[in-house]
Amino acid sequence: MVKKLLQITLKVLLVILLISGISNVAYPFFKNFKLIADKDKSYNKTESLEVNQIDKSDRRTIISNSNLKTTLLITCPADITVNNDMGVCGAVVTFTTPTPGAGNTITRIAGLDSGDFFPVGITTVTFEERDDSNNLVSTCSFTVTVTDNIDPTITAPSNVSATTNSGCTATGVVLGTPITSDNCSVASVTHDAPSSFPLGATTVTWTVTDG
């Protein structure tokens, strides 16, 4: 009986020793496996965070870009040169008004509108473009030049007869006043008459200049 108990005790002790030995051998392996698993888990978490951060950054950029407007600068017509309309000091001029970008407005801030009467000379037309928040986006300008190509007219006064003095010349002759006209204005009227007319006929030339 004692021998059997001893054998049982030895067997139990042997089993305990075997289990203990296996545990001692296996523990470093399982410990390392756990560490590797933890490292892998941490690594995966880090990778996931990095991907999420990139995705969020890209998404913000896309949203930001989607809110931006691609606005081309407004383009004015080329400079315009025309002759005045018949009988008037200017001309009615038409042109294409610049086109604003989507959602923007265009306003003329200098000059005249298309279809208006432009006076003789140079008129600068300027447009500006503003967005829906009234921020200035762009401006452009061009010139409209109206040339007066109509000459003024002049009609000389009638011929004049004068009596000479003892020196056979006539002085203080009243030449009269010519009739002048122009579609704009008359700037000056001159003549080339001498102060003293000799005996005989002298031709006097009158010249008118428009304004």
Side-chain angles (χ1 to χ4, degrees):
M1 182 69 179
V2 174
K3 185 178 181 180
K4 183 179 285 188
L5 289 174
L6 180 60
Q7 288 177 347
I8 291 173
T9 301
L10 289 173
K11 287 181 180 179
V12 171
L13 180 61
L14 180 61
V15 171
I16 293 172
L17 290 174
L18 286 173
I19 293 173
S20 175
I22 292 171
S23 298
N24 290 334
V25 172
Y27 176 76
F29 172 78
F30 284 107
K31 181 180 179 182
N32 290 336
F33 178 79
K34 185 175 184 300
L35 289 174
I36 293 171
D38 288 341
K39 285 179 66 179
D40 289 343
K41 183 177 180 182
S42 175
Y43 176 78
N44 290 335
K45 184 177 181 182
T46 302
E47 288 293 303
S48 176
L49 285 174
E50 289 178 356
V51 170
N52 288 337
Q53 288 170 355
I54 293 172
D55 289 344
K56 287 180 180 179
S57 175
D58 287 348
R59 192 175 299 113
R60 284 196 297 269
T61 301
I62 293 170
I63 292 172
S64 177
N65 288 340
S66 67
N67 289 333
L68 293 177
K69 293 182 180 179
T70 302
T71 304
L72 297 177
L73 299 180
I74 55 174
T75 303
C76 279
D79 293 342
I80 300 172
T81 300
V82 297
N83 291 327
N84 61 287
D85 294 338
M86 184 60 64
V88 293
C89 192
V92 174
V93 179
T94 59
F95 51 81
T96 301
T97 300
T99 302
N104 296 344
T105 57
I106 193 83
T107 304
R108 178 184 55 78
I109 59 174
L112 299 169
D113 290 321
S114 177
D116 284 348
F117 182 82
F118 284 74
V120 167
I122 300 174
T123 301
T124 300
V125 182
T126 302
F127 288 94
E128 70 174 14
E129 177 185 17
R130 291 184 178 273
D131 62 18
D132 52 8
S133 297
N134 202 36
N135 297 311
L136 181 63
V137 175
S138 62
T139 62
C140 69
S141 299
F142 65 102
T143 60
V144 175
T145 302
V146 180
T147 302
D148 180 10
N149 68 334
I150 299 177
D151 294 332
T153 61
I154 185 170
T155 302
S158 302
N159 294 335
V160 176
S161 296
T163 303
T164 61
N165 55 28
S166 58
C168 292
T169 61
T171 59
V173 176
V174 179
L175 300 177
T177 303
I179 299 172
T180 61
S181 67
D182 186 69
N183 59 306
C184 286
S185 63
V186 173
S188 63
V189 178
T190 60
H191 60 75
D192 61 354
S195 59
S196 177
F197 288 85
L199 189 62
T202 301
T203 300
V204 176
T205 301
W206 294 83
T207 301
V208 61
T209 303
D210 60 3

